[in-house]
Structures are given as structure tokens and as C-alpha cells.
Amino acid sequence: MENKQLRLGLQINSLDSGYKTDVYEAIEKECIKKNADLLLFLGNSDFVYSQITEKNIDSLITLSHNYLDYSKKQIEHKIPTLTIQKEEKDTPFISVNFNNKYRKLIDHVIEKHGCKTFNIIISDKESQECRDMLAVCIASLADHNIQIAQNRVYKGNSLEISGYRAMAYFEQKELLPVDCIICLNDDMAIGVTNFAKSRKLNIPRDFKLIAFDDILESRYNDISITTINRDIEHLSKTAVDLALDAAKGLALPLATTIDCKIKY
């Protein structure tokens, strides 16, 4: 009797950012390698969540804390589930350890390039990862006796256009020129490069730019972006391996950590 081909589910609220798209494509490739089917549940509505059933999939990978909250309240069956990014008390999760690398990168632009003034573009105050990244930035800068005024932190929406709008805001508030712009994802950093082109500013001559994710689009941008690589291939391989183990009834570790890499 042949072994059953396992079917994994991947639940993502949207594919509106380069990071989410890269994760989806990497997980899809890994499933093909492992001869597993992949079913994408795209969106964060009750209808989408209601399709996540034992009839449709054997285990689930999710990037959404909304689904986890929904499943705890609404779903009677228990599909083996693991989450990426969000730390959960009772759900296995994969997290990215960016603290040391992000501190090292900020130290680099201060100690090697002499940066003293910074503007920060965040993606979502409600995201725990965003709050953690912002805290690392603030603490790292404080280690060098650099304080960030509240008006130098712009809340974007993680999309490319919000990076452009952030720069327009900094310009309007006379917070430019600045030594360094820190973006909490690559999409917004690409928006910053578009603004720089529109003002004939040169990166890195006129200001340094730090980002996070190392998405495919940023690698082919005509302006080089110094960023943190999440090692999405390793992250996705780990997620698929764990999901397959869960589908086979094996116990998963509660926490799995992936290290980052700096891309100068």
C-alpha cells in the first residue's frame, strides 16, 4: 500500500509584501521537493478560515495571529498547526533571531560611517515583531548616546508607497537631510529609493539606508540596500519539515529559531 501524499495548508492574510510572497514561493518549492501538496488559504475572513479543515489538509503553516485567535474560539477540530513570526504559548512557532545582527548593522553605520542622525520607518505598531525591531533600534542607538525624537518615527503600512510617503513627511517636517534612514522592511526601503531618485539624492552618499528582509525585488533594485536576510529558504524548509512531521502525528518543539544574515 502506497503512502498517502500529505497536503499542507499555508494561511497568509495577503501577498501584498515582498516578504510574504517570497515565503509563499519558497514553501511551495519545498513542498514540490518533498512531494507534498500545498493548499493556499489567502485572506483573513471567517469564510477563508472555515475552509481550513481536516478534510482539506493534514497540517497548517500560518503567518497570521488572527487565524490563531479565531481557531481557539471557533474551531472544534484540531489541525496540527505551526506559526511563523508570532510566538505562541501553546502553538509551535518559528521565529527569526534578528537582535544581534540588527545591533551589529546599526553599530556599523555609526562606527564606520559616522552616522549621528536617524529617521525610522516602521511598518505596523500592532505587530509584535515590529515592536521588537523598533525596541532593538532604539536601544542600539541609545548605546551610542543617540536619542530618537517621536517625530522621527513614521508609521507606514509595510508597502512600498509608505516608504515614499514617509520621506515626503520627513521633508515637510524639515527632518531631512539625515545621516541614515532605517526601514523595518525592504518594501518601504524601495519606496525610499524612489523618493531619493525623484529628489536626485544619492544613496549611500547623501544618506545611508538600512532595511530588513532581503526580498527578491530589493536584490535587483538599481540602488543597493543594506538589509537583513531572514534566510527564507532555510525558514521555509524548516517550516515544511515541521509541518510534515506534525501531519504524521509527531510532536513538535514549541520554539524553533532561525538566524539572520547581514547583507551589506
Side-chain angles (χ1 to χ4, degrees):
M1 182 177 178
E2 293 185 0
N3 292 331
K4 172 189 174 185
Q5 183 165 349
L6 297 174
R7 176 177 288 181
L8 308 185
L10 175 63
Q11 192 276 317
I12 303 179
N13 287 350
S14 67
L15 292 174
D16 59 1
S17 73
Y19 166 66
K20 294 175 184 176
T21 301
D22 284 359
V23 169
Y24 163 58
E25 291 178 349
I27 287 178
E28 183 180 42
K29 289 178 182 177
E30 195 61 33
C31 283
I32 293 172
K33 289 180 184 178
K34 298 293 173 60
N35 194 32
D37 291 331
L38 180 67
L39 191 60
L40 177 65
F41 299 95
L42 185 60
N44 61 351
S45 67
D46 286 358
F47 173 75
V48 172
Y49 297 158
S50 70
Q51 306 307 304
I52 303 174
T53 66
E54 292 167 308
K55 179 180 177 181
N56 291 330
I57 58 173
D58 298 297
S59 64
L60 177 72
I61 303 167
T62 179
L63 274 70
S64 170
H65 61 85
N66 294 333
Y67 170 74
L68 294 175
D69 293 340
Y70 170 89
S71 65
K72 290 173 184 175
K73 296 176 183 177
Q74 304 290 337
I75 299 178
E76 295 180 1
H77 53 75
K78 187 63 176 177
I79 297 172
T81 300
L82 66 114
T83 179
I84 296 176
Q85 293 182 190
K86 180 175 171 57
E87 182 174 333
E88 287 290 318
K89 292 181 180 179
D90 53 1
T91 302
F93 65 90
I94 303 173
S95 63
V96 177
N97 180 17
F98 56 80
N99 290 23
N100 292 337
K101 294 296 192 299
Y102 222 43
R103 282 180 174 273
K104 184 177 180 180
L105 188 50
I106 292 173
D107 289 344
H108 172 79
V109 296
I110 294 172
E111 295 168 3
K112 183 170 182 177
H113 298 288
C115 294
K116 296 180 179 178
T117 57
F118 291 77
N119 293 339
I120 302 176
I121 307 173
I122 66 175
S123 56
D124 181 4
K125 284 184 178 178
E126 303 307 315
S127 161
Q128 184 60 52
E129 183 179 62
C130 178
R131 290 194 292 268
D132 291 343
M133 290 173 66
L134 180 60
V136 169
C137 289
I138 299 298
S140 300
L141 293 171
D143 288 344
H144 294 273
N145 297 315
I146 297 174
Q147 306 299 319
I148 299 296
Q150 189 172 359
N151 64 344
R152 288 189 177 272
V153 179
Y154 180 90
K155 180 182 178 182
N157 61 5
S158 83
L159 303 181
E160 183 177 314
I161 187 62
S162 65
Y164 191 101
R165 289 171 178 166
M167 292 298 288
Y169 160 81
F170 294 139
E171 182 180 59
Q172 180 184 18
K173 297 297 182 180
E174 298 183 347
L175 298 173
L176 298 178
V178 69
D179 294 333
C180 183
I181 301 287
I182 300 176
C183 295
L184 298 198
N185 75 9
D186 279 8
D187 291 277
M188 295 188 296
I190 292 170
V192 171
T193 67
N194 292 337
F195 179 91
K197 293 173 191 174
S198 73
R199 299 297 192 273
K200 295 183 170 26
L201 297 173
N202 179 279
I203 301 171
R205 185 190 65 206
D206 292 315
F207 64 88
K208 304 297 182 286
L209 178 60
I210 292 176
F212 191 90
D213 283 338
D214 191 26
I215 62 173
L216 187 62
E217 187 177 355
S218 71
R219 296 176 206 168
Y220 292 97
N221 194 288
D222 55 355
I223 295 177
S224 178
I225 297 173
T226 300
T227 186
I228 300 290
N229 182 312
R230 290 180 186 257
D231 200 352
I232 287 176
E233 288 187 4
H234 182 38
L235 173 70
S236 300
K237 180 182 184 304
T238 302
V240 170
D241 286 345
L242 289 173
L244 289 172
D245 284 347
K248 296 171 185 175
L250 300 178
L252 302 185
L254 179 60
T256 302
T257 303
I258 302 297
D259 286 327
C260 294
K261 306 172 184 176
I262 298 177
K263 180 187 175 185
Y264 292 105

